Amino acid sequence: MKELFPMKQIMGFVFSLMLTVVALAVYFLNMSFAMGMTILVVTAFIQAAVQLVVFMHAGETKDKGAIYTNVYYGVAIALVTIFGTLLTMIWGYN
Amino acid sequence: MEFFERFAIPHPSAPIYASMVAIALTIVAIIAGLTYFKKWGYLWREWLTTVDHKRIGIMYLISALLMLFRGGVDALMMRAQLAVPDNKLLDAQHYNEVFTTHGVVMIIFMAMPFIMALMNFVVPLQIGARDVAFPRLNALSFWLFFMGAMLFNISFVVGGSPDAGWTSYFPLAGNEFSTSVGSNYYMIAIQIAGLGTLMTGINFITTIFKMRAPGMTLMKMPMFTWSALITNAIIVFAFPVLTVALAMGTMDRLFGTHFFTTNNGGMDMLWANLFWVWGHPEVYILILPAFGIYSEVISTFARRNLYGYKSMVVSMVLISFMSFLVWVHHFFTMGQGALTNSIFSITTMAIAVPTGIKIFNWLFTLYKGKIEITTPMLYALLFIPLFTIGGVTGVMLGMSAADYQYHNTMFLVAHFHMVIIPGVVFAMLAGLTYWWPKMFGFMLNERLGKLAAWVIGISTLVAFMPMFFSGLDGQARRMYTYSASTGFGPLNMISFVGAIGLAVGFAIIVYNVYYSVRYASRDIGADPWNARTLEWATHSPVPEYNFAIVPHVKSAEALWDAKKKRHILFQGDYEKIHMPNNSGVPFIMSSIFFVWGFAMIFSMWAVAIIATIGIFACMAHRSVEIDHGRYISVRKIEETETKLRGAK
Ligand code: HEM
Ligand SMILES: [Cu+2]
């Protein structure tokens, strides 16, 4: 019975719905721009991770190492691009 | 009549009308020729629908060479215009269009397909595979690239060429300052070709990870395959940025959004930023396969294994990551503070370290090697000193404070030509000469090949060294003329002579191809260079299934060790081989993409919507289609093998 019931996927689904609600709240609640953006970025990254691990089954085959290396590499490049852009276009701009 | 007015050229001249006539005549001649010689069926069956990586490679090669000539003519026109002060050959508008199309054609439609050509042809052979992981996707990649290139190339006779530079900076490229459809061509044609490139990236990563011959661990892969793997990884991470930037630019131009405008919350500099987030990794996408080719050529003709295999791999992995950390060095002068600029100066200089490691590894491979100077080797040996000039000046440009002096002068133009020509173009020519016998079953003439290499090598110096000096004297890039009192005249005249020299060099290569087709021996065996890697273990030309028996690999230089240490590559008996079926869908779908792009460029919405539906219909067809491929029987394999062995 336990093997048949996709507990992990159900929990993942509930969790991703919760993340969506939190992200949606940014629109309905009154908060500062920076606060809203921070919440969106954080929930977006967690959401992407949930999708990859729970629904796209990263880590369930023997390619685990290669897949996670790729994911981490991608995340690192995304972060560098985003924060580098913020640095040049906004924070470090005269 | 009003409907057709939009296709008119905004800034016509006699040569453009002449080109229109020439293009029309060429098309008529091609159609007539195909009909007369009854080649339509052959063209469709053997080329337009093929999914064979070798044929796709050859089609990439032909397209790249065509584009090399188109871009080369642009270059000659520019150098001729600048050869003397106050020249009237081209006016300002034409000059703008010519340097824009030159840059785009050379980077996106010449250098990219050239590396794709060699990767397509060589990588599956080097890893002992029968094809790439997704053969049909590969065909789609090629045809998307091809249609993008064709779309871009008709711009100068239909509606007008883009004229905002290959970097197409906003707000100049926005509607306010670029009123013709030229910049629409830029946005859409590159988008279509870029989609193809992104698919190739995914395809080759999968191929290299999943389809290697038994025994070939990652650390036993040939260096060119390693470079292809890293390159495709960079493609997958860099091209989406270009896709997004182009989509935003398209929306600004066609749908009135304000991503890159100067008002209404737009940010024009964001284009430059996104462009270079893609653009700097792009230069490494071009140079890494070139490094891979040099590694193969140098170890083959120094007759020894590559010095420092591991450090070569590590430095490529480092380069792939670091290439994403330096993009701001392309716009140090745009107004960021000293802190930001200093950070990116340091990352820029750091990337020269792994590049330097590779140069030293090649030098150590040469040292104590038994060097044999063939044409590919000559290119490799010319590359090392010339590329060093480009690299060192790159580091000079990388110092942000100094860059205020060099930026947007001919010094910069000299830098990137001194890295791209010795780095990428020489490598492509070396690779072409090196793998030519594998592709076509005969060798190119060595004397003519070496002559061309010397002419091209020397002409590169003659054409681009003067630009370092005129740039330091203050000659700006993209300036269509100058007065005699600036004193730039003589230096530009020397450059012009160099440009002619380059044209002569390429003409010698063309003649060499003609000469070798006629006179070269067809009796050269499978391994004419006495090389070291698997592609030379099968027949030339290669049978469609590549290897009759899948090779078993025990070392990084599989063929060399089979020759010297008697490793056995092919064990066992023939078995029937599973191959993918040909398909016309990639070609049809890409043709619809062409129509879609054309409609978008000219804002013909009804056509664009119908074409969009067509594209989705092709994808739907693929989803429901049942295609299990086909088998080549053992008898057929035996026949082919006996025939090919006989031909040896
Ligand atoms: C040692 C490594 C290198 C360094 C430190 C370096 C540095 C730079 C810098 C700082 C610039 C911007 C200068 C300016 O706009 O004022 C630049 C421009 C450029 N570099 Fe390099 N570079 C290097 C290697 C390469 C390679 C290998 C390629 C291509 C294969 C390349 C292609 C280009 C191109 C195309 C541009 C000009 C883009 C434009 O504005 O149109 N560089 N380089
Ligand atoms: Cu750069």
Side-chain angles (χ1 to χ4, degrees), chain B residues 107 166-167 169 276 280 282-284 286-287 291 329-332 348-349 351-352 355 387 390-399 403 406-409 412 415-417 419-420 423-424 477-478:
Chain B
I107 300 268
W166 85 281
T167 47
Y169 278 2
W276 288 114
H280 189 86
E282 166 68 15
V283 308
Y284 279 91
L286 298 178
I287 200 74
F291 285 177
H329 67 211
H330 291 276
F331 47 88
F332 279 143
T348 300
M349 281 175 234
I351 209 169
T355 315
F387 183 81
V392 169
T393 49
V395 177
M396 291 168 70
L397 290 162
M399 293 183 275
D403 187 54
Y406 311 131
H407 183 58
N408 275 354
T409 66
L412 161 73
H415 152 69
F416 69 75
H417 284 93
V419 282
I420 291 181
V424 184
R477 75 189 291 202
R478 297 177 175 172

Side-chain angles (χ1 to χ4, degrees), chain B residues 116 119 141 195-207 228-229 231-233 235-236:
Chain B
M116 296 295 172
M119 279 192 324
S141 286
L195 288 175
T197 308
L198 191 52
M199 291 174 196
T200 306
I202 296 167
N203 207 342
F204 273 79
I205 293 179
T206 319
T207 307
L229 175 64
T231 304
N232 285 295
I235 287 179
V236 169

Side-chain angles (χ1 to χ4, degrees), chain B residues 225-417:
Chain B
T225 299
W226 255 115
S227 73
L229 175 64
I230 306 279
T231 304
N232 285 295
I234 308 182
I235 287 179
V236 169
F237 291 112
F239 266 74
V241 182
L242 180 69
T243 307
V244 169
L246 289 171
M248 288 157 85
T250 308
M251 289 201 266
D252 267 15
R253 289 192 53 87
L254 296 180
F255 307 132
T257 53
H258 289 91
F259 291 113
F260 304 131
T261 53
T262 44
N263 53 3
N264 292 330
M267 198 179 205
D268 50 340
M269 290 183 307
L270 191 57
W271 166 269
N273 185 67
L274 291 176
F275 183 87
W276 288 114
V277 168
W278 161 79
H280 189 86
E282 166 68 15
V283 308
Y284 279 91
I285 291 169
L286 298 178
I287 200 74
L288 286 179
F291 285 177
I293 294 170
Y294 288 131
S295 300
E296 300 288 340
V297 166
I298 288 178
S299 82
T300 302
F301 297 110
R303 303 279 172 232
R304 54 174 304 208
N305 60 343
L306 201 60
Y307 182 91
Y309 179 96
K310 261 196 204 135
S311 63
M312 285 294 219
V313 171
V314 171
S315 58
M316 277 199 291
V317 174
L318 279 179
I319 288 177
S320 78
F321 189 70
M322 288 163 82
S323 69
F324 284 95
L325 307 181
V326 301
W327 76 93
V328 175
H329 67 211
H330 291 276
F331 47 88
F332 279 143
T333 55
M334 216 161 68
Q336 330 53 287
L339 176 67
T340 314
N341 274 352
S342 309
I343 293 173
F344 285 96
S345 277
I346 291 167
T347 54
T348 300
M349 281 175 234
I351 209 169
V353 175
T355 315
I357 293 179
K358 296 186 72 81
I359 301 256
F360 280 108
N361 278 333
W362 290 317
L363 292 177
F364 285 131
T365 310
L366 289 170
Y367 178 71
K368 285 193 178 164
K370 279 205 242 30
I371 299 176
E372 182 189 342
I373 305 222
T374 55
T375 310
M377 188 64 163
L378 184 56
Y379 279 115
L381 295 179
L382 286 168
F383 148 77
I384 295 177
L386 266 62
F387 183 81
T388 307
I389 301 177
V392 169
T393 49
V395 177
M396 291 168 70
L397 290 162
M399 293 183 275
S400 57
D403 187 54
Y404 273 77
Q405 182 68 25
Y406 311 131
H407 183 58
N408 275 354
T409 66
M410 294 310 271
F411 188 90
L412 161 73
V413 177
H415 152 69
F416 69 75
H417 284 93

Side-chain angles (χ1 to χ4, degrees), chain B residues 520-533:
Chain B
S521 158
R522 289 340 193 233
D523 186 25
I524 53 166
D527 180 20
W529 301 112
N530 192 11
R532 312 173 86 86
T533 41

Side-chain angles (χ1 to χ4, degrees), chain B residues 386 389 418 456-466 494 498:
Chain B
L386 266 62
I389 301 177
M418 288 301 290
I456 291 176
I458 293 169
S459 304
T460 305
L461 283 172
V462 178
F464 296 106
M465 289 309 280
I494 299 175

